[in-house]
Amino acid sequence: MAGTGLVAGEVVVDALPYFDQGYEAPGVREAAAALVEEETRRYRPTKNYLSYLTAPDYSAFETDIMRNEFERLAARQPIELLSMKRDVKAWQYRWFYFILLFNFRYELPAPSSGQKNDITAWQECVNNSMAQLEHQAVRIENLELMSQHGCNAWKVYNENLVHMIEHAQKELQKLRKHIQDLNWQRKNMQLTAGSKLREMESNWVSLVSKNYEIERTIVQLENEIYQIKQQHGEANKENIRQDF
């Protein structure tokens, strides 16, 4: 419905999709698409709508690790591979937790041929094997803990998922009901407005027809009055002649 006090250049959408007919008529969709295409060709944005915003700081949430990785990618350098050789000091590294999680196994290399008689080299190999043995022992402990407490943890996790799904479904049903109520409200408003417009249009046609009939009757009366005046004028002239 068109309103009053429109701003210059403002477009008022007065369509009533739930009431209007003829949208599926041949050529209507093509005509609408042509109007949209013409509007998009004529429309040229003349203002930067984001000019009031400050320049974004893309590095605000970067950590040192992320920054180093971005620099490596920018320099096109290969990623540092995980070393499969391990010693006792490697327990201090964070890769330990990564290995426990993904079940990697380190190598147990023997001393090289040139170090077969080197006690230090053999001692390093023994230390490495002890670290690997401890690693396997920790894995066994983790599996035992999981066998004892994993089921309950998964049950709690699944229950939380079920509650989350139920809550999301309730919110979805509320949203769908709100959309349906809004569509019904729009439909009722448009049907009411359409019926009122049709009634007003019928009244307008009736009034226009009555005005036309009145105007035609007025014209007929004016012609009759003119003819009567002419007849009276001729009669008066005839009476004047007879008097003389």
Side-chain angles (χ1 to χ4, degrees):
M1 299 294 294
T4 59
L6 299 179
V7 181
E10 183 178 356
V11 178
V12 178
V13 180
D14 58 354
L16 301 177
Y18 288 103
F19 182 81
D20 295 337
Q21 304 295 328
Y23 290 110
E24 300 300 330
V28 174
R29 186 178 298 273
E30 290 75 10
L35 292 175
V36 173
E37 182 66 23
E38 180 184 2
E39 180 70 18
T40 53
R41 284 200 306 268
R42 291 189 292 106
Y43 175 73
R44 292 291 183 272
T46 58
K47 181 180 178 181
N48 183 11
Y49 297 99
L50 302 179
S51 60
Y52 67 95
L53 297 176
T54 58
D57 185 10
Y58 297 106
S59 61
F61 301 97
E62 289 184 3
T63 62
D64 294 337
I65 297 177
M66 294 174 60
R67 191 174 298 106
N68 294 334
E69 189 66 15
F70 289 150
E71 292 176 356
R72 182 190 65 79
L73 292 174
R76 297 181 179 275
Q77 297 178 355
I79 188 172
E80 183 179 357
L81 299 179
L82 180 63
S83 176
M84 301 304 294
K85 295 181 179 180
R86 176 181 183 148
D87 54 16
V88 177
K89 294 182 180 179
W91 288 97
Q92 303 174 359
Y93 298 159
R94 66 184 61 183
W95 288 109
F96 170 72
Y97 302 100
F98 183 81
I99 291 164
L100 290 179
L101 181 61
F102 290 96
N103 195 18
F104 281 116
R105 295 183 179 179
Y106 280 99
E107 298 176 353
L108 292 175
S112 60
S113 58
Q115 296 179 338
K116 293 294 183 179
N117 298 322
D118 190 352
I119 298 178
T120 303
W122 279 105
Q123 186 62 44
E124 291 179 356
C125 292
V126 171
N127 293 337
N128 189 18
S129 63
M130 292 176 62
Q132 290 286 19
L133 182 61
E134 186 65 22
H135 171 213
Q136 297 299 328
V138 172
R139 287 182 57 204
I140 294 173
E141 291 178 0
N142 289 333
L143 291 175
E144 291 176 351
L145 291 173
M146 184 176 293
S147 64
Q148 295 177 5
H149 307 286
C151 295
N152 294 330
W154 273 107
K155 288 180 180 178
V156 173
Y157 176 73
N158 290 333
E159 290 177 358
N160 292 332
L161 286 180
V162 170
H163 291 313
M164 292 173 62
I165 292 174
E166 292 176 352
H167 178 72
Q169 289 177 346
K170 290 181 180 179
E171 293 296 327
L172 179 61
Q173 292 297 329
K174 290 181 181 179
L175 183 59
R176 286 179 175 174
K177 186 179 183 301
H178 177 69
I179 293 174
Q180 185 178 6
D181 293 342
L182 182 61
N183 288 333
W184 276 109
Q185 182 181 1
R186 291 175 64 245
K187 183 176 182 179
N188 292 333
M189 291 176 60
Q190 291 186 17
L191 291 178
T192 303
S195 300
K196 186 175 181 180
L197 285 174
R198 180 169 292 176
E199 181 182 358
M200 294 174 65
E201 183 180 5
S202 178
N203 293 335
W204 177 80
V205 172
S206 177
L207 292 175
V208 169
S209 300
K210 289 181 180 179
N211 289 334
Y212 175 75
E213 294 294 334
I214 293 172
E215 289 179 357
R216 188 175 66 175
T217 303
I218 291 173
V219 171
Q220 291 178 354
L221 292 175
E222 288 178 350
N223 291 333
E224 291 177 1
I225 292 173
Y226 179 73
Q227 291 176 1
I228 293 173
K229 286 183 179 181
Q230 283 186 341
Q231 291 176 1
H232 282 289
E234 292 177 357
N236 291 332
K237 289 180 182 179
E238 187 66 26
N239 291 332
I240 291 172
R241 287 196 198 97
Q242 291 177 0
D243 291 339
F244 286 102

